[in-house]
Amino acid sequence: MFSGLGRFVVRRPWWIILAWVVVAGAVISLAPKLTSSSDEASFLPDHYESIRAADLQEKEFPKQQNIGAIIVFQRSDGKELTAADSADVVRISKDLQAQKIDDVQAVVPGEVSPNRLVQTSVVAMPKITNPEDTAQQDAVKQLRTDLKPELKGTDLTAGITGSAAQALDESDASKKAGILVGVGTIVIIIVLLLVIFRSPIIALLPVVLIGLISPMATGLIASANKAFDMKADSSIQELLTVVLFGVGTDYILFLLFRYREALRAGEDPKGAMVHAVERVGEAITSAAGAVIVAFAALTLSSLGMLRSMGPALAIAVFVTLLAGLTLVPAVVSLLGTKVFWPSKSWQREPHGTGFAKLGGAIARRPAVWAVVSALFMGALALGALGYKANFDLAGSSLPKDKESMVALKNLQKGFPAGTTDPTFVYLASTTDKPVGEAEASAFRRQLAEIQGVGEVAPPRLSPDRTTASYSVVLADPPASEKALATVKDELRPTAHDDAPPGTQALVGGTTAVYVDINKAVDRDYSVVFPVAALAIMVILGLLLRSLVAPWYLMLSVALGFGATLGATSLIFQQIGSQPGLMFMLPVIMYLFVVALGTDYNILMVSRLREEAREGRDPHDAAGTAVRHSGPTIGSAGVILAGTFATLMLAGNSTLSQMGFSLSFGIAIAAFVMAMIFTPALTALIGHAAWWPGHGDEKRNGGGGAAGPPSDGADERVP
């Protein structure tokens, strides 16, 4: 199959290239814009309590004002506010409201804080119904512009915080992050490929080719989002860039190493490319299949953001695979050996590399290497015991010098931390009888006595008086671990148990949404993880025709996942003193480390089986496989880890966590799992690793490989 595909591509390279250009142009021109959303509530299923509370609010309090932003005033000298200062706050609030800024319903001055250090004005805005709408961010931008001249001549300073202000600051930071990640990814790929191949053509090849398919993949994802009503979280664009360039470069590397091997064996350039596609086709198709299946498993998630991210990344990898099997061979077959210019190293096979020494050591003492690598990953995995989830995707990812973060810190000098985003409790009649005022007041007192609750506003009754709404300000920041514990363990149980007869209580708001997301993520761990693992094991079993090998290969990636989560928890929580890791990071990390780690395992085990078919015993086959496949896996691992590491350039803690964890996980997958643990364990298990297919048995006529059996041709990797 792959041999036929290779011959077809090599004979018609210009037609293949033209077809890609035409299809890419059509997709890019017709596809809608890829949008993103950070509105976590829009991702939860309807049966969660926070969503039912939001639906009740829409029904009974459709005109309820939403706190879109909060203006935080304080004296420039840090002293207590005077009566004249408060009068200035009232005047400024009236002036800002008189500006008639779009989406600003009202600017209402609040009370001075009990310690008289802070006073606020609440900016009421409509509830967001379309996550793509940036009108409220534009309103905050205008408010900040209009606020500066209003403060002149007063003793006040002020800043704007709240959900809309944080969204604006996050949007500005994300634009810079996207540029940094894109440029950083391209620079790393070019530099590393120059070092590995010493050829500017190869260094630029992935950038040009993936630069063509990247907007095409983005267009296909946007079209799928529109067709199937999928959503994507706010970091998907940066992640797509890294996946396309990282995985795409890996597949190009696999092809080029095999192409160079065939050239060294004496084949002409056209025949060498056919041979390369034939030999590498099954490996990268199986590897891409493992990645696609793992990402597709996210469709089983109960969270819309993950359910949509999975197909998006799967589409990106599928397009990259098609390009790796058709577009890349077409371009390289036209260039021939000029692709390696000006280097001449492709003509000879170097010897005596570090990979040969490592392979020899593993062949001599596989048990020692298996135990040492397992203990190394196991020790790092212990750090995962301290993992904590963080749900503040906006606030925690913003630089501390952003205005919304500075204003929030100032607000907490005088008010409970939950002031910016109150929790709402709704007491609804189940008998259509009105809620009595005495019952409503008594219920408010019960809520106010809950530990972790700062303030409870007087109840507001719906027009038919069947529902009472309570604005509850928590003592802790809305997305903090303490606030989530208050809602989950105190507020909800008390509200449910103390609701008067004939009524029911629902707790909603942002903190309640986070509590429900936490519950949904826990559910996803028990579903997505095993389904993805099982699907990858099936692919491994079919590829290797073995029932034994898939088990220990999955054991290796499980150890790699644990080590990655443990190291990330230690770096960011213990050393970096961050409140926790992004709540969906373990899911993303699991899928990337398992799927991409399986890529490298597939390359190593396929090579190991090939060496066994040449008649080598299990120990010698493992050592020889490491010697020959080590350069390929090492080069691919360095480049892919480097591209993921560019996410740390964003200056955004969420993307920094993702960048570190994925780059570290890929490094573990390439240099510990695939290069040491897997071949060492395979050598120990011996022929039983291939049961019942006996895929390691010597075939008639040898292995059938063209030329010397070398994936990486012992190329040194820095």
Side-chain angles (χ1 to χ4, degrees), residues 84-396:
D85 295 328
S86 293
D88 284 333
V89 170
V90 173
R91 174 187 58 79
I92 292 172
S93 301
K94 289 181 178 179
D95 289 348
L96 291 175
Q97 183 167 333
Q99 298 292 335
K100 302 294 184 182
I101 299 173
D102 290 342
D103 264 39
V104 174
Q105 297 172 324
V107 183
V108 183
E111 299 293 328
V112 180
S113 65
N115 60 9
R116 303 197 62 80
L117 292 178
V118 179
Q119 187 170 356
T120 63
S121 283
V122 174
V123 181
M125 295 179 171
K127 183 178 179 181
I128 296 178
T129 56
N130 179 10
E132 301 169 16
D133 186 1
T134 61
Q136 293 193 6
Q137 297 178 33
D138 296 336
V140 171
K141 188 182 297 185
Q142 189 60 49
L143 279 169
R144 286 175 173 172
T145 300
D146 294 343
L147 179 61
K148 291 179 181 179
E150 293 286 348
L151 293 170
K152 291 182 178 179
T154 71
D155 295 321
L156 300 172
T157 61
I160 302 178
T161 187
S163 58
Q166 286 188 346
L168 173 62
D169 290 341
E170 185 183 22
S171 176
D172 291 340
S174 295
K175 290 176 183 177
K176 296 176 182 177
I179 295 173
L180 284 172
V181 169
V183 173
T185 298
I186 292 172
V187 169
I188 283 180
I189 288 174
I190 291 175
V191 170
L192 290 177
L193 285 177
L194 273 174
V195 172
I196 294 169
F197 285 98
R198 300 175 183 86
S199 166
I201 296 176
I202 290 180
L204 293 174
L205 189 64
V207 176
V208 174
L209 296 185
I210 300 171
L212 169 66
I213 67 173
S214 178
M216 178 182 174
T218 302
L220 289 173
I221 293 166
S223 298
N225 283 354
K226 184 176 181 180
F228 299 102
D229 192 27
M230 299 192 306
K231 300 178 180 68
D233 105 286
S234 57
S235 66
I236 187 65
Q237 188 63 63
E238 287 80 11
L239 198 57
L240 276 175
T241 299
V242 172
V243 168
L244 284 165
F245 278 93
V247 175
T249 303
D250 265 11
Y251 294 163
I252 291 174
L253 272 178
F254 300 159
L255 188 75
L256 286 176
F257 274 126
R258 281 289 189 175
Y259 178 59
R260 187 175 61 183
E261 172 190 344
L263 288 173
R264 285 173 174 170
E267 293 216 31
D268 66 276
K270 297 287 185 182
M273 181 50 64
V274 173
H275 172 77
V277 174
E278 177 187 2
R279 296 297 298 274
V280 87
E282 183 182 26
I284 68 170
T285 300
S286 300
V291 178
I292 291 169
V293 165
F295 288 157
L298 283 176
T299 57
L300 300 175
S301 171
S302 55
L303 290 176
M305 68 178 76
L306 294 178
R307 197 164 54 246
S308 300
M309 181 187 294
L313 297 178
I315 289 171
V317 173
F318 181 71
V319 173
T320 305
L321 172 64
L322 291 181
L325 293 175
T326 58
L327 180 61
V328 176
V331 172
V332 175
S333 67
L334 286 174
L335 293 172
T337 58
K338 294 184 181 66
V339 75
F340 299 106
W341 181 87
S343 174
K344 301 293 185 181
S345 62
W346 64 270
Q347 298 174 343
R348 59 187 181 277
E349 182 179 342
H351 298 279
T353 67
F355 292 106
K357 295 177 182 178
L358 176 62
I362 291 175
R364 288 190 299 272
R365 297 182 179 85
V368 172
W369 286 95
V371 170
V372 169
S373 57
L375 288 176
F376 172 74
M377 292 186 286
L380 286 176
L382 293 176
L385 297 175
Y387 163 75
K388 293 180 181 178
N390 178 34
F391 294 86
D392 187 7
L393 298 187
S396 66

Side-chain angles (χ1 to χ4, degrees), residues 433-523:
K433 293 182 179 179
V435 176
E437 291 187 9
E439 290 178 328
S441 298
F443 188 68
R444 177 198 177 197
R445 290 193 294 272
Q446 291 167 323
L447 295 178
E449 293 173 0
I450 296 173
Q451 185 175 0
V453 170
E455 300 173 358
V456 181
R460 294 181 56 218
L461 293 175
S462 61
D464 61 4
R465 305 182 69 81
T466 59
T467 305
S469 171
Y470 302 84
S471 177
V472 179
V473 175
L474 302 177
D476 301 293
S480 67
E481 186 179 2
K482 289 183 178 179
L484 267 67
T486 296
V487 170
K488 178 184 176 182
D489 301 328
E490 303 290 340
L491 183 57
R492 272 185 173 168
T494 300
H496 295 163
D497 295 342
D498 293 348
T503 66
Q504 69 169 353
L506 294 175
V507 179
T510 300
T511 306
V513 168
Y514 291 144
V515 170
D516 289 340
I517 287 178
N518 196 12
K519 183 178 179 181
V521 169
D522 288 342
R523 175 262 177 198

Side-chain angles (χ1 to χ4, degrees), residues 40-112:
E40 287 84 1
S42 68
F43 299 125
L44 280 170
D46 294 339
H47 66 271
Y48 282 97
E49 183 174 342
S50 58
I51 304 303
R52 290 190 287 128
D55 292 340
L56 181 64
Q57 183 263 317
E58 282 290 322
K59 177 183 175 183
E60 301 294 345
F61 303 94
K63 296 183 179 180
Q64 178 175 308
Q65 289 183 331
N66 175 62
I67 300 178
I70 295 178
I71 307 175
V72 182
F73 296 90
Q74 60 180 350
R75 284 185 61 89
S76 54
D77 58 11
K79 296 181 179 179
E80 294 183 1
L81 293 166
T82 65
D85 295 328
S86 293
D88 284 333
V89 170
V90 173
R91 174 187 58 79
I92 292 172
S93 301
K94 289 181 178 179
D95 289 348
L96 291 175
Q97 183 167 333
Q99 298 292 335
K100 302 294 184 182
I101 299 173
D102 290 342
D103 264 39
V104 174
Q105 297 172 324
V107 183
V108 183
E111 299 293 328
V112 180

